[in-house]
Amino acid sequence: MEKYDVAIIGGGSAGLAALKQLSRLGKQAILFESGNKIGAKNISGGILYSKKPKKGKTYNVEDIYENFLQDAPFERKITKYILHATAKDKVFSIDLTAAHKYEANFGCSVLMNKLNQWFAQQAEEAAQKYGGGIVTGVHVRAIRWEDGHTIIQTDELEEVEVKAIIAADGVNSEIAYMTGARQKFSPSEIYQGVKVIVKLPDEIINQRFSIGPDEGSAHLFAGDVTLNHIGGGFLYTNRDTLSLGAVYHLDSLLETPNEPYELVNTLLKNPMISELVKDEVPVRCEIDRDAPKEEQMRIRFAVTKMIKTWAELRDSYYSKKEKERLVKEGKYGSPEEIGAQLSSLRDQMSTKYGIKFETDYVEVEYSAKTIPDGKRCRMEKPYFKNILFVGDAAGRGIFVGPRIEGINVGIDDAVRAANAVARALDKDNFTEKYLGEYYSRLIEDSPYTHDLKVIDKDYLEIFLGAVKEVPKEIISSKYGLVIKMMSSGTLRSFAVGVANILGYENLLPIIETVDTYVKIPTELAERLGKRMYASYAPTIPSIAQRIAKLKFNDDNISHIKVLTPTSEFMKKMITLCPTRCYFMEKEGVIIQHEGCIECGTCSEETDWKHPRGEKGINYQYG
Amino acid sequence: MTLKNQMDPINTAVIVKLEPDFSEGNVSYNPDGTLNRAETKNILGPHSAIAVSAAFYAKVKYGAKIAIGTMGPPMAESILQQAQLMSNADELYLYSDRIFAGADTLATAEVLKAGIQKMQKKIDIVFSGHRASDGETGQTGPQTAWKLGMTFLGHVIDYEINLESRTVRAKRLVRIQGVYDVVEEVESPLPVFIAIDPSYKPKFNTVSQRLDYEKYQKEAVKRAQDFKQYLKVFNAAQIEADPKFIGISGSPTIVYKVERIPKGKATRQAKVIDGSNKEQIREVVTRLLQALSTMAIK
């Protein structure tokens, strides 16, 4: 049997950071990823932060990848952070940029597919020096311990023996389920996030959002767009796409189920968002059905090709970098020439083939993920025998008011886990006491863990500063008192002190309610909001159209098995599954796994596994 | 770490062929139905590619060295580059000379034999494809083996090398046409000549093989970028090929004429029903039901 020092299970940003860090420390590690390539299964909202906490130190992305800021394909550095309260066509906006910048070096928008591939490149190069590396398309099926040996079984390869394991297999961690290291997260502990990627040319984004070429803006939405659920919407600017999504507490969704895509659609229909995502879209004209078949075919191909050429040229025209490249390569004399070519192409399209240009928006990818709420579900003991759990697998996501962080938490955990494993390798001691407990202590030291336990009064102050314009009487008496207390310096310290004694667990039922997420924002928008107008109604694709755009490598065996087909939970899954994999047949709920995008919403009452290696969803953006 | 690093390395050679790309959208025909060679792209033949993947398996699993050789015009260097990209080959050989023109399979085998004997290292295994997709004779491989005096194993679908005893254990797919297929397992001491079956697929099922696979693939991209560094071009004199046995004069056979196979007359009649309305769809269903009712199995 082959032997390696360390196995990392899962090639997301946490797993890759663990691989990079172990290689930095000169240790041999192999990483198993079940997707056919790195990034295939990764989804995030996504903003990646680099932090500088007042107390303690976080391991940031640029600490692990020294050339991150120069070379990494992240999208844009977020410079504006705004919360919008909505009520029908009225929007009231609060600038939260100060809160976003709090204790942060930077926060940048990211698309995980591209970024993780870059991380993988860096990590693999380093790992190969020590006889390690990345193995893709391999799904870990089981781990067993035999006379002090740790053996990993996979669906694809022969067994291997390792000394320690870092489990970075995400929120639906099979390693956690199979070892019993933790229970599956319950609906009260997770959020369901659904996201669409909207295509929009680079420089149009700069203009539309009034940002510089390398700047980005982030928008959060609360109020009536949430359809009375606890959570909210978000819209982040990427380089030449937008990430638009909805994140809601699963408990809240279970109470009054709404189709997840309806929640995204509601955002899209909001006049403010409609206007932000809009673009010019070519619409084909009907081909004359009486024309000869060959002629019809010829026209269809010509139109397709023309639209493609036009779209590509347009993307280049609205991208400074691409324009410069085209001119430099001598394909065009000047940027104006590209513009002229573009408009002549546009004219040809309408005169020759009757193509019309309408205002609409272009959606390119639909995705979903469940997100652990670390306040509620972080693992108290993030280890089992010689396995250490990191990031989402250990339930460590940050949801504090408008602050949502996950990727940077996972990276920080992974570095701590790698450090603990390296220390164990040096002493050849992999007992729970020497490895697991030490890792636990390292994690306890993490500023992120602190944030998951204690309310930070300075952060609160910034947050309250941002909403100080809001007339107090809007907020119902219950909250009015709280706000009043919090607004006064001395009382705030006292109140936060009391709150911290009570702990998040006891405060959450008061803070995270329909009132705070829906009623107050709606009232704010109604009374103070500006009326918004949309110049068009977006053509929103049906869920079938959205699934049809995704790339799957279908497995003939279902990776999910329904355990109790008649339970209330499973019946609700018919509505709550983001890709409608469940439906009712006679008495019970059955699954049709082919469209499954592996979010794990249904995991609580199903036998939930990831598909075998290379199978299942293959995201292009992430 | 493993045996493969301690023993003498296995040296393999692959003989490949430049062929027209017959895939859809790339192939062009003249009005008379013959192949338009000028318009059709040339690629590494699909069977050659399988032979290259078999050699790559030996590289990943046994740390073998790979040399790739082809006889062809100067532009055939592009397929050597393609083959290197697939296999991270260590050496590339192009045998190119005007004298080689008009060679049949036997004369080609003579050049390949001379070329393989001229390679830097003594070759333990030669791989060839099953046949070419343009000539379709399947003779060049066996003839080269015969000329080299090597044990010939055809239709190989899987093989393992024993580095200690320096033997090959191979599985051969033996087709007794229309009756049944059998898998024959044979063992032979090195050197051997392996003609790989089209159904061959290399399997990498240990972690170290997968890591090596990735490593070699990455290295191959770099190597193939400046493949000329690995390339040697030889003419007839340089490989010391006997002029009697090469080119048109060394070819006992000649393609005299190519005729099109006459098309059989179609017995079925097609009708287009485009499904644009209910009537049409109803008709499709009725016709399907009719067709089903005439079938034995329902």
Side-chain angles (χ1 to χ4, degrees), chain B residues 13 17 28 72 80 85 100 114 139 148 155 173 187 189 198 226 233 240 257:
Chain B
K17 191 179 181 202
S28 299
L80 291 174
L85 187 63
F100 298 155
Q139 291 169 356
L148 284 164
H155 287 283
L173 183 67
E187 195 174 312
D226 37 30
V233 185
E240 294 168 41
K257 192 177 163 193

PDB file of all heavy atoms in Angstrom, chain B residues 13 17 28 72 80 85 100 114 139 148 155 173 187 189 198 226 233 240 257:
ATOM      1  N   ALA B  13       9.794   2.794 -27.708  1.00  0.00           N
ATOM      2  CA  ALA B  13       9.690   3.604 -28.915  1.00  0.00           C
ATOM      3  C   ALA B  13       8.251   3.478 -29.415  1.00  0.00           C
ATOM      4  O   ALA B  13       7.619   2.440 -29.233  1.00  0.00           O
ATOM      5  CB  ALA B  13      10.658   3.102 -29.969  1.00  0.00           C
ATOM      6  N   LYS B  17       1.921   7.806 -37.206  1.00  0.00           N
ATOM      7  CA  LYS B  17       1.688   8.190 -38.588  1.00  0.00           C
ATOM      8  C   LYS B  17       0.867   9.474 -38.694  1.00  0.00           C
ATOM      9  O   LYS B  17      -0.076   9.683 -37.934  1.00  0.00           O
ATOM     10  CB  LYS B  17       0.954   7.058 -39.319  1.00  0.00           C
ATOM     11  CG  LYS B  17       0.923   7.282 -40.816  1.00  0.00           C
ATOM     12  CD  LYS B  17       0.236   6.180 -41.559  1.00  0.00           C
ATOM     13  CE  LYS B  17       0.294   6.488 -43.055  1.00  0.00           C
ATOM     14  NZ  LYS B  17      -0.716   5.811 -43.816  1.00  0.00           N
ATOM     15  N   SER B  28     -12.181  17.538 -46.032  1.00  0.00           N
ATOM     16  CA  SER B  28     -12.735  18.123 -47.275  1.00  0.00           C
ATOM     17  C   SER B  28     -12.617  17.112 -48.407  1.00  0.00           C
ATOM     18  O   SER B  28     -11.637  16.363 -48.486  1.00  0.00           O
ATOM     19  CB  SER B  28     -11.958  19.368 -47.676  1.00  0.00           C
ATOM     20  OG  SER B  28     -12.052  20.325 -46.686  1.00  0.00           O
ATOM     21  N   GLY B  72       7.846  10.571 -42.770  1.00  0.00           N
ATOM     22  CA  GLY B  72       6.917  11.480 -43.422  1.00  0.00           C
ATOM     23  C   GLY B  72       7.593  12.723 -43.924  1.00  0.00           C
ATOM     24  O   GLY B  72       8.804  12.897 -43.749  1.00  0.00           O
ATOM     25  N   LEU B  80       4.686  14.909 -34.258  1.00  0.00           N
ATOM     26  CA  LEU B  80       5.613  14.513 -33.188  1.00  0.00           C
ATOM     27  C   LEU B  80       5.419  15.429 -31.989  1.00  0.00           C
ATOM     28  O   LEU B  80       5.478  15.008 -30.844  1.00  0.00           O
ATOM     29  CB  LEU B  80       7.057  14.569 -33.691  1.00  0.00           C
ATOM     30  CG  LEU B  80       7.422  13.501 -34.728  1.00  0.00           C
ATOM     31  CD1 LEU B  80       8.826  13.739 -35.265  1.00  0.00           C
ATOM     32  CD2 LEU B  80       7.316  12.102 -34.138  1.00  0.00           C
ATOM     33  N   LEU B  85       3.225  16.143 -26.553  1.00  0.00           N
ATOM     34  CA  LEU B  85       2.286  16.796 -25.635  1.00  0.00           C
ATOM     35  C   LEU B  85       1.470  15.749 -24.875  1.00  0.00           C
ATOM     36  O   LEU B  85       1.099  15.924 -23.723  1.00  0.00           O
ATOM     37  CB  LEU B  85       1.361  17.717 -26.441  1.00  0.00           C
ATOM     38  CG  LEU B  85       0.430  18.617 -25.645  1.00  0.00           C
ATOM     39  CD1 LEU B  85       1.214  19.592 -24.789  1.00  0.00           C
ATOM     40  CD2 LEU B  85      -0.492  19.385 -26.576  1.00  0.00           C
ATOM     41  N   PHE B 100      12.076   8.245 -49.801  1.00  0.00           N
ATOM     42  CA  PHE B 100      11.070   7.446 -49.108  1.00  0.00           C
ATOM     43  C   PHE B 100       9.707   7.479 -49.811  1.00  0.00           C
ATOM     44  O   PHE B 100       8.836   6.661 -49.544  1.00  0.00           O
ATOM     45  CB  PHE B 100      10.864   7.933 -47.667  1.00  0.00           C
ATOM     46  CG  PHE B 100      12.088   7.826 -46.786  1.00  0.00           C
ATOM     47  CD1 PHE B 100      12.238   8.646 -45.691  1.00  0.00           C
ATOM     48  CD2 PHE B 100      13.076   6.879 -47.052  1.00  0.00           C
ATOM     49  CE1 PHE B 100      13.354   8.553 -44.863  1.00  0.00           C
ATOM     50  CE2 PHE B 100      14.209   6.770 -46.227  1.00  0.00           C
ATOM     51  CZ  PHE B 100      14.343   7.615 -45.133  1.00  0.00           C
ATOM     52  N   ALA B 114      15.221   0.674 -39.561  1.00  0.00           N
ATOM     53  CA  ALA B 114      16.522   1.335 -39.557  1.00  0.00           C
ATOM     54  C   ALA B 114      16.532   2.487 -38.562  1.00  0.00           C
ATOM     55  O   ALA B 114      17.512   2.687 -37.830  1.00  0.00           O
ATOM     56  CB  ALA B 114      16.836   1.836 -40.958  1.00  0.00           C
ATOM     57  N   GLN B 139      -0.531  -3.464 -41.590  1.00  0.00           N
ATOM     58  CA  GLN B 139       0.636  -4.313 -41.861  1.00  0.00           C
ATOM     59  C   GLN B 139       1.957  -3.721 -41.385  1.00  0.00           C
ATOM     60  O   GLN B 139       2.887  -4.451 -41.064  1.00  0.00           O
ATOM     61  CB  GLN B 139       0.750  -4.558 -43.377  1.00  0.00           C
ATOM     62  CG  GLN B 139      -0.351  -5.440 -43.925  1.00  0.00           C
ATOM     63  CD  GLN B 139      -0.373  -5.459 -45.428  1.00  0.00           C
ATOM     64  OE1 GLN B 139       0.385  -4.749 -46.086  1.00  0.00           O
ATOM     65  NE2 GLN B 139      -1.255  -6.271 -45.981  1.00  0.00           N
ATOM     66  N   LEU B 148      12.701  -6.174 -37.317  1.00  0.00           N
ATOM     67  CA  LEU B 148      13.531  -5.955 -36.131  1.00  0.00           C
ATOM     68  C   LEU B 148      13.865  -7.269 -35.432  1.00  0.00           C
ATOM     69  O   LEU B 148      14.695  -7.308 -34.524  1.00  0.00           O
ATOM     70  CB  LEU B 148      12.807  -5.030 -35.141  1.00  0.00           C
ATOM     71  CG  LEU B 148      12.780  -3.547 -35.464  1.00  0.00           C
ATOM     72  CD1 LEU B 148      11.717  -2.860 -34.631  1.00  0.00           C
ATOM     73  CD2 LEU B 148      14.134  -2.897 -35.208  1.00  0.00           C
ATOM     74  N   HIS B 155      -3.104  -6.733 -31.015  1.00  0.00           N
ATOM     75  CA  HIS B 155      -4.397  -6.600 -30.327  1.00  0.00           C
ATOM     76  C   HIS B 155      -4.240  -6.536 -28.815  1.00  0.00           C
ATOM     77  O   HIS B 155      -5.024  -7.125 -28.084  1.00  0.00           O
ATOM     78  CB  HIS B 155      -5.311  -7.774 -30.692  1.00  0.00           C
ATOM     79  CG  HIS B 155      -5.835  -7.693 -32.082  1.00  0.00           C
ATOM     80  ND1 HIS B 155      -6.849  -6.853 -32.436  1.00  0.00           N
ATOM     81  CD2 HIS B 155      -5.479  -8.360 -33.194  1.00  0.00           C
ATOM     82  CE1 HIS B 155      -7.097  -6.994 -33.727  1.00  0.00           C
ATOM     83  NE2 HIS B 155      -6.274  -7.902 -34.225  1.00  0.00           N
ATOM     84  N   LEU B 173      -6.832  -9.183 -27.131  1.00  0.00           N
ATOM     85  CA  LEU B 173      -8.232  -9.407 -27.469  1.00  0.00           C
ATOM     86  C   LEU B 173      -8.261 -10.171 -28.787  1.00  0.00           C
ATOM     87  O   LEU B 173      -7.879  -9.641 -29.825  1.00  0.00           O
ATOM     88  CB  LEU B 173      -8.952  -8.063 -27.606  1.00  0.00           C
ATOM     89  CG  LEU B 173     -10.444  -8.130 -27.880  1.00  0.00           C
ATOM     90  CD1 LEU B 173     -11.184  -8.700 -26.676  1.00  0.00           C
ATOM     91  CD2 LEU B 173     -10.984  -6.732 -28.181  1.00  0.00           C
ATOM     92  N   GLU B 187       2.922 -14.097 -21.955  1.00  0.00           N
ATOM     93  CA  GLU B 187       4.085 -13.511 -21.312  1.00  0.00           C
ATOM     94  C   GLU B 187       5.267 -13.657 -22.250  1.00  0.00           C
ATOM     95  O   GLU B 187       5.417 -14.690 -22.895  1.00  0.00           O
ATOM     96  CB  GLU B 187       4.362 -14.210 -19.985  1.00  0.00           C
ATOM     97  CG  GLU B 187       5.314 -13.422 -19.123  1.00  0.00           C
ATOM     98  CD  GLU B 187       5.498 -14.036 -17.739  1.00  0.00           C
ATOM     99  OE1 GLU B 187       4.488 -14.372 -17.108  1.00  0.00           O
ATOM    100  OE2 GLU B 187       6.650 -14.185 -17.324  1.00  0.00           O
ATOM    101  N   PRO B 189       9.592 -12.394 -22.880  1.00  0.00           N
ATOM    102  CA  PRO B 189      10.738 -11.605 -22.429  1.00  0.00           C
ATOM    103  C   PRO B 189      10.907 -10.375 -23.323  1.00  0.00           C
ATOM    104  O   PRO B 189      10.503 -10.404 -24.490  1.00  0.00           O
ATOM    105  CB  PRO B 189      11.914 -12.556 -22.581  1.00  0.00           C
ATOM    106  CG  PRO B 189      11.466 -13.573 -23.566  1.00  0.00           C
ATOM    107  CD  PRO B 189       9.989 -13.672 -23.476  1.00  0.00           C
ATOM    108  N   PRO B 198      -7.467  -0.930 -30.549  1.00  0.00           N
ATOM    109  CA  PRO B 198      -8.192   0.350 -30.435  1.00  0.00           C
ATOM    110  C   PRO B 198      -8.960   0.489 -29.126  1.00  0.00           C
ATOM    111  O   PRO B 198      -9.243   1.599 -28.693  1.00  0.00           O
ATOM    112  CB  PRO B 198      -9.168   0.319 -31.616  1.00  0.00           C
ATOM    113  CG  PRO B 198      -8.615  -0.679 -32.561  1.00  0.00           C
ATOM    114  CD  PRO B 198      -7.815  -1.657 -31.770  1.00  0.00           C
ATOM    115  N   ASP B 226       8.920  23.799 -26.861  1.00  0.00           N
ATOM    116  CA  ASP B 226      10.108  23.820 -27.713  1.00  0.00           C
ATOM    117  C   ASP B 226      10.523  22.396 -28.051  1.00  0.00           C
ATOM    118  O   ASP B 226      11.564  21.914 -27.640  1.00  0.00           O
ATOM    119  CB  ASP B 226      11.258  24.658 -27.164  1.00  0.00           C
ATOM    120  CG  ASP B 226      11.394  24.578 -25.669  1.00  0.00           C
ATOM    121  OD1 ASP B 226      11.037  23.517 -25.110  1.00  0.00           O
ATOM    122  OD2 ASP B 226      11.828  25.539 -25.060  1.00  0.00           O
ATOM    123  N   VAL B 233      16.074  14.992 -37.131  1.00  0.00           N
ATOM    124  CA  VAL B 233      15.564  14.658 -38.461  1.00  0.00           C
ATOM    125  C   VAL B 233      16.646  13.885 -39.192  1.00  0.00           C
ATOM    126  O   VAL B 233      17.794  14.344 -39.285  1.00  0.00           O
ATOM    127  CB  VAL B 233      15.167  15.923 -39.248  1.00  0.00           C
ATOM    128  CG1 VAL B 233      14.533  15.543 -40.584  1.00  0.00           C
ATOM    129  CG2 VAL B 233      14.207  16.784 -38.430  1.00  0.00           C
ATOM    130  N   GLU B 240      21.154   4.844 -42.451  1.00  0.00           N
ATOM    131  CA  GLU B 240      21.799   3.740 -43.146  1.00  0.00           C
ATOM    132  C   GLU B 240      20.779   2.730 -43.665  1.00  0.00           C
ATOM    133  O   GLU B 240      20.924   1.517 -43.488  1.00  0.00           O
ATOM    134  CB  GLU B 240      22.824   3.049 -42.238  1.00  0.00           C
ATOM    135  CG  GLU B 240      23.995   3.972 -41.894  1.00  0.00           C
ATOM    136  CD  GLU B 240      24.850   3.404 -40.763  1.00  0.00           C
ATOM    137  OE1 GLU B 240      25.097   2.182 -40.773  1.00  0.00           O
ATOM    138  OE2 GLU B 240      25.256   4.188 -39.875  1.00  0.00           O
ATOM    139  N   LYS B 257      -5.396   1.698 -58.278  1.00  0.00           N
ATOM    140  CA  LYS B 257      -6.615   2.441 -58.561  1.00  0.00           C
ATOM    141  C   LYS B 257      -7.510   2.408 -57.322  1.00  0.00           C
ATOM    142  O   LYS B 257      -7.537   1.410 -56.599  1.00  0.00           O
ATOM    143  CB  LYS B 257      -7.333   1.766 -59.719  1.00  0.00           C
ATOM    144  CG  LYS B 257      -8.462   2.555 -60.331  1.00  0.00           C
ATOM    145  CD  LYS B 257      -9.009   1.775 -61.524  1.00  0.00           C
ATOM    146  CE  LYS B 257     -10.362   2.268 -61.944  1.00  0.00           C
ATOM    147  NZ  LYS B 257     -10.983   1.329 -62.875  1.00  0.00           N
TER     148      LYS B 257
END
